[in-house]
Amino acid sequence: ATGEPVANANDDPLPSWNKCAARTDILDFVACATDADCPNFIPPAERIAVFDNDGTLWCEQPVYVQMQFVFDRVRQQAAQHPEWKTAEPFAAVLRHDIKALAAAGEKGMLQLLAATHTGMTTADFEQIVTQWLATARHPKFDRPYTELVYQPMLEVLAFLRSKGFKAYIVSGGGIEFMRPFTERVYGIPPEQVIGSSGKLKYELRDAEPVLMRLAELDFVDDKTGKPVGIQKLIGRRPVFAFGNSDGDYEMLRWTTAGKGSRIGLIVHHTDAEREYAYDRDSHVGRLARALDEAPDRGWSVVDMRRDWKTIFPPVAK
Amino acid sequence: ATGEPVANANDDPLPSWNKCAARTDILDFVACATDADCPNFIPPAERIAVFDNDGTLWCEQPVYVQMQFVFDRVRQQAAQHPEWKTAEPFAAVLRHDIKALAAAGEKGMLQLLAATHTGMTTADFEQIVTQWLATARHPKFDRPYTELVYQPMLEVLAFLRSKGFKAYIVSGGGIEFMRPFTERVYGIPPEQVIGSSGKLKYELRDAEPVLMRLAELDFVDDKTGKPVGIQKLIGRRPVFAFGNSDGDYEMLRWTTAGKGSRIGLIVHHTDAEREYAYDRDSHVGRLARALDEAPDRGWSVVDMRRDWKTIFPPVAK
Ligand SMILES: [Ca+2]
Ligand SMILES: [Ca+2]
C-alpha cells in the first residue's frame, strides 16, 4: 500500500470502485468544489476532509488492530510480570479469555492500556509500535495489518490529495499508535492524525529532553469527541467526512451541517466473503443510528460487497 | 500585513534585516536544509518550524493583546453585570486598577477568562474576536494590533514557506483567540496554530450541532507545555524554533536537541525607541535563562534595535 491508485489516475481516479451512488457523489462533489465557476466551489484552504480509521480505512475485525497490539504486548511483557498470571485483566489476556476480558469492562481496558502504552517516552513507544506492525499478521488474511487497508479508500485519499484537499484521520484509536504508519500507508503525515491520547510530560533524562507518556487519559476522540478533536487540532469545519460506525455520527453531523457544499459518507461492511459483514449487532464498529438516518441526512452509504471491485491492495511481490 | 516580504524575494529574502549573525544563521540553515547534496538536508515533510507569537511575531507590550481583549470585554459586558462593580477581579478591571488585578493572581485571571472566553459557541467567539481586532488600537502606536506584527518576522515566515517549510505558531495565548487572524496576517492557517485552550462540548442547539466553550481549562501551552503541545498537534519534532522569552525555553531545548540540523532563535527586545526594551525584569515576556544559556546551546539572539531595519509593516494606504 502506497496511498496511490493502482490504475492510471488520468483514466479513472477511482478504478477499484464500481459505478454506484457513492462514487458519483464523490466525483460530483470534488468536480464542483474545484471548479471556480461552480456555486459550490471551495477555496483550497477550506478543503478539509476527515476520515475515520478503523473500519473506514483499514480492517477492524475480528478485533481492533490496537487491541491486538495490547494483547501481544501483554504476552510479550508477561515474563517481567509474574503477578499478571493471577491478576485480572492481565490473566484473562494470557489465557485468551475473551469473556473475562469483556467482564473487566472499561476499567480493565484502561489498566491494559496503562501497562502497554505508558511509562515510556514517545520515541520508545513509536519504536515499539513500528516493530510490532512489521511482524504482526492478521489471523484471517495472514497479511500485515498495514496491508489490510481498503484499496478503494486509498484511491479516494489520493484523488482528494490531487485536488488540493487536506485529508485528516479522526479516529477513536490512539493518536500515537497511528502516526508511525499513516504517512507510509495512507500518505497522511503525523500532523494530520487526530486520535485519543494520554497526557504527556516534558522532562530531562540524562540532560536530554524527552516526552513521557503518562497513565492518565487526556482525550477520547470518539462520538461527540470527534467534532471536539477536529476543532482542537484543525480549527475549522471539514467539508468531507467518511466513517463507518455510530462513533462517526457526530462527526458526520458536524461536517454536513456546515454552510455550503458538504458531503458525508459511510462504509457499510456487507462482504462476509472478501472481508466481514456486520452493522447493528457488532461488538466492533456498531452501525445503526447513522445508517438509519443516512437517507434523511443525505449521507451516502457504500455497500462494500456491491460497490468495491477489490477490498485490499494486491500482495506486494 | 500580508505575510509577504516588501522587497523582491529574489534579491534578498530578508530585506528588513541588517547583516547579522542571526540572519546568516537562518540563511545558512535554510540553504543546507533544502540542498539535497548537503549533509544537513531535511526532507520537505520534516521541515517543521515553530514560532512563539506574543513578543516573537507581534508586540506584547504594554500588556498581552489577549489581556487587553479581556479588559475591553469586561467593560463591554459590564452593563449586563451590575454585580461586577463591587466584585473582584471585575471591579479592578472597571476601575483600571492594575495593582488589585495583580493581587487577584492566577485565580482572578481564570475568572476573567471564564467570563469573557466561555459560555458561547466557538463560532460566536470567533466573531467576537474578529470584531474586537477590527476596532481595537494599540495605546502607544495607535494602530490595530494585527498591524503591530514584526515585518522582519513576516519575511522569515514567507521565506520558510517558499522553501517548503510548514510554520506553526506555538503560543501560551488562547488557540481560538489567534486562529481568527493568523491566516490573513501571517499566512498561517488555523490548523497550524497551537495554543492554550479550554474544554469544548459538542451539543445540539435548535437541532443544529454546535461546540460550546466551557469554563474548564484544557491545556496550557507554555513552558514545558510547548513541547507537549507540539507533540499533541504535530506529532513530530520541529527543526526550527523562534521564541522571545523563558516561556520558550523548553521549546528551544526540545527542538534543538533533535538529531540532525536544528536551529533555535530568540528575539531580544532592545529597542525602547521603536518598540520596547525589556528582558530579565519584565512582567511580560521575561527573558533570563534562555538568554543566559543561548551561547552554550548555540541559539542565535536577535538584537531588535541593531538587527532589524524596520519593526512594523508600513501603514496601509
Ligand atoms: Ca470506525
Ligand atoms: Ca512570547
Side-chain angles (χ1 to χ4, degrees):
Chain A
T2 64
E4 297 306 319
V6 163
N8 186 340
N10 292 328
D11 303 322
D12 176 358
L14 304 176
S16 299
W17 290 69
N18 288 314
K19 287 208 164 66
C20 64
R23 179 178 172 281
T24 302
D25 288 347
I26 294 170
L27 293 174
D28 287 353
F29 174 84
V30 171
C32 212
T34 54
D35 176 357
D37 295 330
C38 179
N40 287 332
F41 174 74
I42 300 173
E46 292 167 26
R47 292 180 198 158
I48 303 287
V50 287
F51 290 80
D52 169 61
N53 185 42
D54 297 308
T56 299
L57 294 179
W58 76 353
C59 180
E60 64 182 343
Q61 296 280 5
V63 295
Y64 292 124
V65 178
Q66 191 173 1
M67 192 78 77
Q68 191 58 53
F69 168 76
V70 166
F71 296 162
D72 288 358
R73 286 296 297 165
V74 166
R75 286 164 201 147
Q76 284 166 11
Q77 293 171 276
Q80 288 92 59
H81 293 276
E83 74 279 10
W84 283 357
K85 270 190 208 136
T86 52
E88 298 297 350
F90 303 98
V93 174
L94 296 177
R95 63 176 193 270
H96 297 254
D97 185 342
I98 298 293
K99 216 167 167 182
L101 257 180
E106 196 179 321
K107 193 179 153 231
M109 187 43 56
L110 288 175
Q111 284 179 277
L112 293 174
L113 283 171
T116 55
H117 282 62
T118 72
M120 73 285 277
T121 68
T122 50
D124 286 345
F125 185 70
E126 181 181 346
Q127 202 172 348
I128 290 167
V129 171
T130 302
Q131 283 176 352
W132 182 80
L133 285 172
T135 54
R137 296 179 85 86
H138 188 278
K140 174 171 172 178
F141 301 107
D142 191 25
R143 295 177 68 176
Y145 291 101
T146 48
E147 289 184 14
L148 299 176
V149 296
Y150 304 129
Q151 176 63 29
M153 296 302 289
L154 296 181
E155 292 167 5
V156 172
L157 290 174
F159 177 52
L160 290 180
R161 194 161 42 237
S162 77
K163 297 297 183 180
F165 284 78
K166 214 182 215 181
Y168 284 77
I169 289 174
V170 180
S171 168
I175 190 166
E176 299 207 342
F177 180 75
M178 297 181 282
R179 280 172 165 164
F181 71 87
T182 57
E183 188 152 37
R184 175 176 61 86
V185 173
Y186 301 134
I188 294 180
E191 63 267 30
Q192 286 163 227
V193 177
I194 304 175
S196 298
S197 55
K199 290 215 190 286
L200 301 174
K201 184 166 184 274
Y202 172 96
E203 58 184 51
L204 295 178
R205 277 201 172 178
D206 304 326
E208 285 300 307
V210 296
L211 294 173
M212 292 301 297
R213 296 174 55 86
L214 305 187
E216 190 184 343
L217 209 57
D218 185 32
F219 179 63
V220 177
D221 190 53
D222 198 23
K223 301 189 176 76
T224 60
K226 290 204 175 194
V228 171
I230 287 168
Q231 184 62 26
K232 281 159 68 95
L233 274 85
I234 308 179
R236 84 174 119 201
R237 204 190 285 224
V239 295
F240 184 117
F242 220 135
N244 82 302
S245 82
D246 286 352
D248 304 311
Y249 175 83
E250 286 84 3
M251 176 170 87
L252 287 161
R253 287 284 303 264
W254 176 243
T255 298
T256 57
K259 279 183 206 131
S261 181
R262 310 275 165 164
I263 185 169
L265 299 120
I266 295 169
V267 175
H268 189 192
H269 290 260
T270 51
D271 198 327
E273 199 180 322
R274 294 185 301 171
E275 203 234 14
Y276 295 91
Y278 58 99
D279 47 34
R280 293 173 193 283
D281 303 318
S282 178
H283 66 295
V284 156
R286 181 171 182 274
L287 175 66
R289 185 180 185 189
L291 192 62
D292 293 338
E293 296 187 16
D296 279 352
R297 300 203 177 277
W299 300 336
S300 300
V301 177
V302 176
D303 182 325
M304 185 181 255
R305 191 178 64 80
R306 209 186 50 198
D307 297 345
W308 287 359
K309 286 183 193 161
T310 57
I311 307 292
F312 303 122
V315 176
K317 299 275 154 54
Chain B
T2 65
E4 298 306 320
V6 163
N8 185 339
N10 293 327
D11 303 323
D12 177 359
L14 303 175
S16 299
W17 291 69
N18 289 314
K19 288 207 163 67
C20 64
R23 179 178 173 280
T24 303
D25 289 347
I26 294 170
L27 294 174
D28 288 353
F29 174 84
V30 171
C32 212
T34 54
D35 176 357
D37 294 328
C38 179
N40 287 331
F41 174 74
I42 301 172
E46 293 167 27
R47 292 180 199 158
I48 302 288
V50 288
F51 290 81
D52 169 61
N53 186 40
D54 297 308
T56 298
L57 295 179
W58 75 354
C59 180
E60 65 182 342
Q61 296 280 6
V63 295
Y64 293 124
V65 178
Q66 192 173 1
M67 191 79 76
Q68 190 59 53
F69 168 76
V70 167
F71 296 162
D72 287 359
R73 286 297 297 165
V74 166
R75 285 164 201 147
Q76 284 167 11
Q77 293 171 275
Q80 288 92 59
H81 293 275
E83 74 280 10
W84 284 357
K85 270 190 206 133
T86 52
E88 298 298 349
F90 304 98
V93 173
L94 296 177
R95 62 175 193 271
H96 298 255
D97 185 342
I98 299 294
K99 217 167 164 182
L101 257 179
E106 197 179 321
K107 191 178 154 235
M109 185 45 53
L110 288 174
Q111 284 178 277
L112 294 174
L113 284 171
T116 55
H117 283 61
T118 73
M120 73 284 278
T121 68
T122 50
D124 287 345
F125 184 69
E126 181 181 348
Q127 203 172 346
I128 291 167
V129 170
T130 301
Q131 284 177 349
W132 181 81
L133 285 172
T135 54
R137 296 179 84 84
H138 189 278
K140 174 172 172 176
F141 300 107
D142 191 28
R143 296 177 68 176
Y145 291 102
T146 48
E147 290 184 14
L148 299 176
V149 296
Y150 304 129
Q151 176 63 29
M153 296 301 290
L154 296 181
E155 293 167 6
V156 172
L157 290 173
F159 177 52
L160 290 180
R161 192 159 46 237
S162 77
K163 296 297 182 180
F165 284 78
K166 213 181 215 182
Y168 283 77
I169 289 174
V170 181
S171 168
I175 190 166
E176 298 206 343
F177 181 76
M178 297 181 283
R179 280 172 164 163
F181 72 87
T182 58
E183 189 151 37
R184 176 176 60 86
V185 173
Y186 302 134
I188 294 180
E191 63 267 30
Q192 287 164 224
V193 177
I194 304 174
S196 298
S197 56
K199 289 214 190 289
L200 300 174
K201 183 166 185 274
Y202 172 95
E203 58 183 52
L204 295 178
R205 277 202 173 177
D206 303 327
E208 286 300 307
V210 296
L211 294 173
M212 292 300 298
R213 295 174 55 86
L214 306 186
E216 190 184 343
L217 208 59
D218 185 33
F219 179 62
V220 178
D221 190 53
D222 199 23
K223 301 190 176 75
T224 59
K226 290 203 174 194
V228 171
I230 287 168
Q231 184 62 26
K232 281 158 67 96
L233 276 85
I234 308 178
R236 85 174 118 200
R237 204 191 286 224
V239 295
F240 184 116
F242 219 134
N244 82 303
S245 81
D246 286 351
D248 304 311
Y249 176 83
E250 286 83 4
M251 176 170 87
L252 287 161
R253 287 283 305 263
W254 176 243
T255 300
T256 58
K259 279 183 204 131
S261 182
R262 309 276 164 162
I263 185 169
L265 300 119
I266 296 168
V267 175
H268 190 191
H269 291 261
T270 50
D271 198 326
E273 199 180 323
R274 294 185 300 172
E275 204 236 13
Y276 295 91
Y278 58 98
D279 46 34
R280 293 172 193 282
D281 303 317
S282 179
H283 67 294
V284 156
R286 182 172 182 274
L287 175 66
R289 185 179 186 189
L291 193 62
D292 293 338
E293 296 187 15
D296 280 352
R297 300 204 177 276
W299 299 338
S300 301
V301 178
V302 176
D303 181 325
M304 185 182 256
R305 191 177 63 80
R306 208 185 51 197
D307 297 344
W308 285 359
K309 286 182 193 161
T310 56
I311 307 291
F312 303 123
V315 175
K317 298 276 153 54

